[in-house]
Amino acid sequence: LGGDFKNMATLSSIAIVGAGGAAAAIVHPHDRDMASRARGSRHLEEFLDAGNLAGNGAVQIGAALTVYTAGRLAQSRAAAQYGADLVRAQFVSGIITDGLKVAVRRTRPNGGRYSFPSGHSASAFAAAAVTYRHFGPKAGIPAFVFASYVGGSRVTDFKHFPSDVLFGAA
């Protein structure tokens, strides 16, 4: 994990976080209106409900540990490495996200604490990035689409503002 944090200061990582920060800054003035509109669509909220569970950190780490364990039991080095990379990604994204949540202390649309950035989005996009790196665009693009689904679920459930989700995704 130490190497993961050390290697984060790459040009591509900085560009991704910069783009996420810029996107979050652009939508931030419209956060409340966008969150209210998203919440107003009962059909959209119901469609996105599963994203709240799928993006949960415990679910993400559990799935990553399952992939790792299955890979080890099947003696598949590739599957075990994919699982290990998923676990590491979840720990890194969780540490960064939780640290930012405590530092920023933004109130959620529903009045709860620690809105920024979205941890569900960070978890789902971390898994998508690992999937893309291991399997390329055929698996990676659907993983990013699913991560977007998770992020959308957080807005329609009134747990996060769009800017929280955008920055969490980055």
Side-chain angles (χ1 to χ4, degrees), residues 75-146:
Q75 298 181 345
S76 169
R77 181 181 166 109
Q81 185 61 55
Y82 174 55
D85 287 349
L86 285 169
V87 170
R88 287 180 24 229
Q90 292 307 312
F91 279 110
V92 170
S93 76
I95 290 167
I96 292 168
T97 301
D98 288 349
L100 284 170
K101 283 178 177 290
V102 171
V104 174
R105 303 175 67 111
R106 184 179 192 192
T107 303
R108 293 175 183 264
N110 65 6
R113 296 171 34 175
Y114 305 124
S115 185
F116 183 87
S118 167
H120 281 63
S121 296
S123 290
F125 275 87
V130 170
T131 301
Y132 191 95
R133 188 170 62 241
H134 275 264
F135 302 109
K138 285 187 179 181
I141 290 172
F144 280 115
V145 169
F146 184 72

Side-chain angles (χ1 to χ4, degrees), residues 25-83:
I26 289 168
V27 303
H28 179 69
H30 311 285
D31 268 344
R32 291 208 182 275
D33 183 51
M34 291 171 73
S36 292
R37 286 179 189 214
R39 180 157 190 184
S41 173
R42 191 177 121 247
H43 295 296
L44 181 60
E45 186 177 347
E46 288 174 359
F47 172 72
L48 295 173
D49 268 349
N52 287 309
L53 176 63
N56 181 285
V59 171
Q60 288 283 329
I61 290 173
L65 287 170
T66 299
V67 171
Y68 173 74
T69 302
R72 293 290 300 229
L73 290 173
Q75 298 181 345
S76 169
R77 181 181 166 109
Q81 185 61 55
Y82 174 55

